[in-house]
Amino acid sequence: MSTDRKPAVALGIDLGTSGVRAALLSDDGNLIDIAACPFPNPAAARLPSTWWSGVKSCLAELASRNAFASLEGVAVDGTSGTVVAIDARGMPVGEAMMYNDPCPDRTIVERIDTEAPPDSPARGATSALARAIHLSRRPGVQAIVHQADWILMNLGLASATSDENNALKTGYDLTAERWPDWLEACGMDIALLPAVKRAGSPLSTITAGGLALGLPPECRYFAGTTDGCASFLATGASTVGDGVTALGSTLVVKLACARPINAANFGIYSHRILDFWLAGGASNAGGAVIRKFFDDDQLKSMTPKLQPDVSTGLAYYPLATAGERFPVNDPTYPPRLSPRPADDVTFFQAILEGITTIEKSGYDRLAELGGPKLLSVRTVGGGAANPAWTRMRENTLAVPFLSARSAEASVGTASLVLAGKDRWP
């Protein structure tokens, strides 16, 4: 956190899976302050009222320590694919459907599979479009919006407006920059969907609703992004060839590209953000597999004993259960975690080696499909703190490993304001 207390210029709000976080940046991109409000429990995390309560709590905390008078813009990110049905007053009609909720009506999913283009990210069992269609059938629904869109409306934005990143899985056409006609054939009334702008686009000046929350009259609303895209931006990655690996419960690989890469058969799709495309995918391998076998104390004691420059040769493909999404998209893909050596340290190292191999395969797959050569890697997530694993990955990927500027998605969202504030007409 900055200690020279430069004026706060950009406010980024992150609606994550576990809570709300908000960051203030100065005009040179340095973090001034950050506030957090965890969700009380998983059930509450599904309620739009909980999201909004968290946002208000973070704003009040930041305002208690900082002046908002110099703020030039606010942007919001949300979990990708979380959608909300609202009535004529902008109030939620029932609970939201979250990013990982399957559509309860299988016929909707089947209709999308029939009508949507083969590489559309709107396809699949957890399709955001399917959730949107399902919600649109509730009585009294006047609009379907994404999580970030609804928060912007509560901050005072006059009309429902989304960004390309949140709209992508709902079927938005990035090439034509509009909602495509085939959505109607799937059962989605396009008139219920929000307007869509590019991420970081200025939308309007602050309204009375924003003023009531303490935002200054000169401040503007900006189109936000998804939490995943925001996390990429937060690291400082921005040049074609920059990669970001998230080592959390799952392994997520993202690469800045000069053009989009969409290959549903490999679990790959692309977002457009700023002046590059962000392509990547998520494997089912990751920290969740490690946690299946070892607790925190065991991991802490074993890590110093790892030998990252000496391979075990076990060639694992560490999955908790059958099924993989990326770089192979196969719901029956089998785990490979045998033979298991008697020594737990060797077993742990073999799992890390296997995840590392998948990471390299992910970047290689993107290059095979027309992406750029990997030039650098930044790492976020709990696995980034393991020095032996980092050494393994450096040996395998053979590119510079750069420090992430920040691991906070709210910082990445605030950086969209900095990138877009000079585009105001």
Side-chain angles (χ1 to χ4, degrees):
M1 190 181 300
S2 174
T3 57
D4 56 9
R5 311 307 292 179
K6 293 181 179 179
V9 170
L11 169 62
I13 299 172
D14 165 49
L15 278 292
T17 56
S18 60
V20 180
R21 299 177 77 83
L24 293 173
L25 300 187
S26 60
D27 58 5
D28 56 7
N30 286 324
L31 177 63
I32 291 174
D33 200 357
I34 194 163
C37 181
F39 295 140
N41 54 63
R46 307 180 61 86
L47 302 175
S49 58
T50 302
W51 310 339
W52 181 231
S53 177
V55 170
K56 290 190 292 184
S57 175
C58 286
L59 290 181
E61 183 180 339
L62 290 176
S64 71
R65 298 192 293 259
N66 305 272
F68 281 0
S70 56
L71 275 181
E72 296 185 34
V74 55
V76 182
D77 76 72
T79 48
S80 177
T82 296
V83 287
V84 187
I86 58 175
D87 62 20
R89 298 174 300 133
M91 298 300 294
V93 179
E95 287 189 0
M97 290 194 73
M98 302 300 289
Y99 63 96
N100 56 352
D101 285 338
C103 177
D105 188 339
R106 182 64 195 173
T107 61
I108 296 176
V109 177
E110 292 171 352
R111 187 67 176 271
I112 294 170
D113 286 344
T114 299
E115 301 292 343
D119 285 338
S120 172
R123 300 165 66 96
T126 56
S127 160
L129 175 58
R131 289 191 288 272
I133 294 170
H134 181 73
L135 290 183
S136 72
R137 297 174 178 176
R138 290 177 178 173
V141 172
Q142 293 295 308
I144 300 294
V145 297
H146 306 95
Q147 184 180 41
D149 313 343
W150 189 75
I151 294 298
L152 265 184
M153 293 175 71
N154 277 266
L155 288 168
L157 187 65
S159 58
T161 307
S162 192
D163 61 88
E164 288 183 336
N165 304 149
N166 274 294
L168 182 64
K169 292 182 181 179
T170 318
Y172 187 74
D173 187 327
L174 293 178
T175 301
E177 298 197 45
R178 66 180 182 88
W179 294 110
D181 294 338
W182 58 261
L183 295 184
E184 296 278 359
C186 296
M188 183 72 240
D189 181 356
I190 293 176
L192 296 179
L193 294 171
V196 180
K197 302 292 183 182
R198 292 195 181 191
S201 297
L203 302 176
S204 81
T205 53
I206 292 297
T207 64
L211 294 173
L213 293 166
L215 302 177
E218 296 78 13
C219 191
R220 305 177 184 110
Y221 302 107
F222 285 77
T225 184
T226 63
D227 57 343
C229 290
S231 294
F232 185 94
L233 293 174
T235 67
S238 61
T239 301
V240 170
D242 285 349
V244 172
T245 299
L247 298 176
S249 58
T250 60
L251 166 72
V252 181
V253 164
K254 292 183 178 177
L255 181 65
C257 302
R259 66 174 188 81
I261 302 172
N262 295 298
N265 55 322
F266 292 118
I268 297 168
Y269 61 92
S270 296
H271 286 287
R272 176 167 49 206
I273 193 159
L274 300 179
D275 59 353
F276 61 89
W277 292 83
L278 187 55
S283 169
N284 287 334
V289 181
I290 299 170
R291 297 288 180 182
K292 184 177 178 180
F293 299 101
F294 303 113
D295 61 29
D296 285 340
D297 290 339
Q298 291 172 304
L299 296 176
K300 185 176 181 179
S301 66
M302 290 189 296
T303 294
K305 302 174 185 177
L306 295 171
Q307 299 182 62
D309 296 319
V310 182
S311 173
T312 66
L314 289 170
Y316 285 170
Y317 201 107
L319 299 171
T321 58
E324 178 61 305
R325 297 176 291 168
F326 167 84
V328 176
N329 192 8
D330 180 354
T332 66
Y333 200 83
R336 190 165 63 247
L337 285 162
S338 62
R340 176 166 179 170
D343 178 45
D344 278 349
V345 175
T346 304
F347 182 53
F348 176 37
Q349 178 164 327
I351 293 174
L352 296 181
E353 290 172 353
I355 298 172
T356 300
T357 299
I358 297 170
E359 178 186 9
K360 184 178 188 304
S361 297
Y363 285 118
D364 288 347
R365 180 75 74 194
L366 292 170
E368 290 168 9
L369 295 171
K373 179 182 178 181
L374 182 66
L375 298 179
S376 69
V377 170
R378 294 169 172 85
T379 310
V380 296
N386 186 317
W389 194 4
T390 298
R391 176 66 177 171
M392 286 181 212
R393 296 172 55 235
E394 288 174 336
N395 291 341
T396 300
L397 294 174
V399 297
F401 273 49
L402 306 179
S403 298
R405 180 185 63 179
S406 173
E408 295 287 350
S410 55
V411 170
T413 303
S415 72
L416 282 175
V417 172
L418 297 180
K421 68 187 183 68
D422 293 332
R423 298 204 301 266
W424 187 254

